[in-house]
Amino acid sequence: MTEYMKELLNEAQYEAVSHGIYSEAPALVLAGPGSGKTTVITWRIKYLIDECGVAPQSIMVVTFTRAAAQEMKERFIRMSDGKAGAVTFGTFHSIFFRILKYAYNYNPEHIISEQDKHELVRNIIKKTQLQPGDDKELIPNIISEISLVKGNMIDINNYYSSNCPENTFRDIYSEYEAVMRRENKIDFDDMLILCYELLTARPDVLKAWQERYKFILVDEYQDINMLQYKVLKLLTPQGHGLFAVGDDDQSIYRFRGAKPEIMLGFERDFPGAKKYVLDVNYRSTQDIVSTALKLIENNDKRFKKELRAFRGEGSPVYYQEFEDVGSENESIVKFIKALTDKDYDEDDIAVLYRTNSGSSMLIKSFIDNSIPFVLRDKINNVFEHWIAQDIISYIKLAMGQGKRSDMLRIINHPNRYISRSLFTTEEVSFDSLKELLSDRDWMVERVEKLEYDLLVIKRVSVYAAIQYIRKGIGYDSFLTEYATKMNLNERELVDILDEIHESAAGCAVFNQWFAKIEEYGQKLKEQAANKGEKQHGVTVSTIHSSKGLEYRVVFVPDVNEGIIPYRKAVIDADIEEERRLLYVALTRAKDRLYVSSVKNRYNRQADRSRFLEEMLDEQ
């Protein structure tokens, strides 16, 4: 088998796979993009069993996703004549839950479903003073922060939320934990906490699992959090049998609690550890690899490494700066049409964005140009956001189509200090409202001002109507006040409003705009309904969701300050994470890579990302 392995693997891969089992030193395998990470893990298992006589049942392979565990298992079965049956493949959560199941008789019914967790957090948020309608974005963000606090064992009193006032988050967190305990439920983070507490408190249980699994292979080691790391250390005393595979340059989940410094400290934590570097990229051309390396080498906290492309030079990385997002999207559409007219299929192409919201205008362009597309992420329909619903309610009231619900939505956005209890009938009557307020002249004046505002809106184009709502009525000022009150990022709220405003460009009448909104929403629903089925089209994805994937052609638009690096990235660790994120985006490309930035976003000047200066030669 040894000679056969040498024929199939390159030198670095072979050295890692044949890391001696009799040495007590653990192994760290630095696996750059496209360097054969999965190949090394599966061959390592085969080497342990066939060459070293290791019992399959004493081997555990840990991944971060069920899909990765299944892929690893299937690949190993294909190369091992069915000997994989006794090897354990699973996620951190599934394996640690197995430990809890034996100790505490837990069963799957104890695990809260994602849907129930979502509903629980929604109900808790309703008791706060957070804006109704925020929840489509707020709930996942709050759930992520709860996981971050648990996974890194952070004292809740020392944690400051980025999604709501700190006291509000602490109340949400405390009630979430209280309900979970009361209903005897656990979430994925509780699995790790309980497992760590069990193995720490019960040396006999720990010893039993140490003896059960003599060899633990960990995929994507750069993504582990502090709790996962602590449990791994317990299961592998002094790192015995630990084979960690990953790439510190692709650590992009700090917001979920991943700590890349854990991987960087591997040799410190495990004295005598052996490090292997997989330095051949089989995915991308040399131009793409070189561009990505020039970028990532600007990070200080990383393992220094070289990568060379197996496939040769290839086409130069294409960069262009556009006047605005509209012209950038037009260019992407034009390039895609040209590529698919030649030897590329839509399935070969991906457009990668820093955030979900960045892709909505391109999706509208794809719809207008009949370009098929596939969404890897659940896209929140911007027109369902509470800000969009406010704007739509103003317009419906101006058109005479508004209902009581529309009036209740906008009456105090901005605040007019008019009680919602005054609106008791489904029909909105300003005359009746003024009669009710006739003893308060200043209130009547505010109602008359709203009547006038709606008349102005009715008489202008959609774009001008939204402009009037923002400036004439003072909706922009309302967003500023709301952001300050709720400890939110004002720029993010304004970006949503800008996007809604921009979508109205070119729409002469309100119903034309409403039709565009309807078509866009329908396309998103179709994508959601077909999730999990084989779909055909250009992939539109966040960079985070593209990790581990590859495409012949990749577009990375909006490489601007405030987007990548993201505006929330302030400290050095944040900037380095943003640089790693762009590195992941660049290294998804196999043949062609298109990078772009814009000069203006929504009529405001936009600065090119500092990362462009680092990665491109002549800028």
Side-chain angles (χ1 to χ4, degrees), residues 280-292:
V280 180
N281 181 311
Y282 292 95
R283 173 188 301 152
S284 309
T285 61
Q286 187 62 54
D287 275 5
I288 294 170
V289 170
S290 298
T291 299

Side-chain angles (χ1 to χ4, degrees), residues 359-373:
S359 62
S360 57
M361 287 188 68
L362 179 70
I363 292 171
K364 296 185 189 85
S365 295
F366 282 175
I367 293 170
D368 292 342
N369 288 275
S370 301
I371 293 177
F373 62 92

Side-chain angles (χ1 to χ4, degrees), residues 227-238:
L227 203 47
Q228 291 162 339
Y229 168 69
K230 284 180 175 292
V231 174
L232 272 179
K233 282 198 77 173
L234 288 172
L235 293 173
T236 58
Q238 288 80 53

Side-chain angles (χ1 to χ4, degrees), residues 340-356:
T340 53
D341 283 344
K342 295 179 181 178
D343 61 342
Y344 290 91
D345 188 81
E346 281 93 350
D347 294 346
D348 298 327
I349 303 169
V351 187
L352 307 182
Y353 283 91
R354 170 61 181 83
T355 64
N356 246 336

Side-chain angles (χ1 to χ4, degrees), residues 32-33 67 79 90 152 164 371 395 399 402 483 559 574-575 578 595 617:
M79 63 188 290
N152 283 301
C164 59
I371 293 177
I395 291 173
M399 295 171 69
V559 186
D574 292 337
I575 296 299
E578 293 291 305
V595 180
D617 291 326

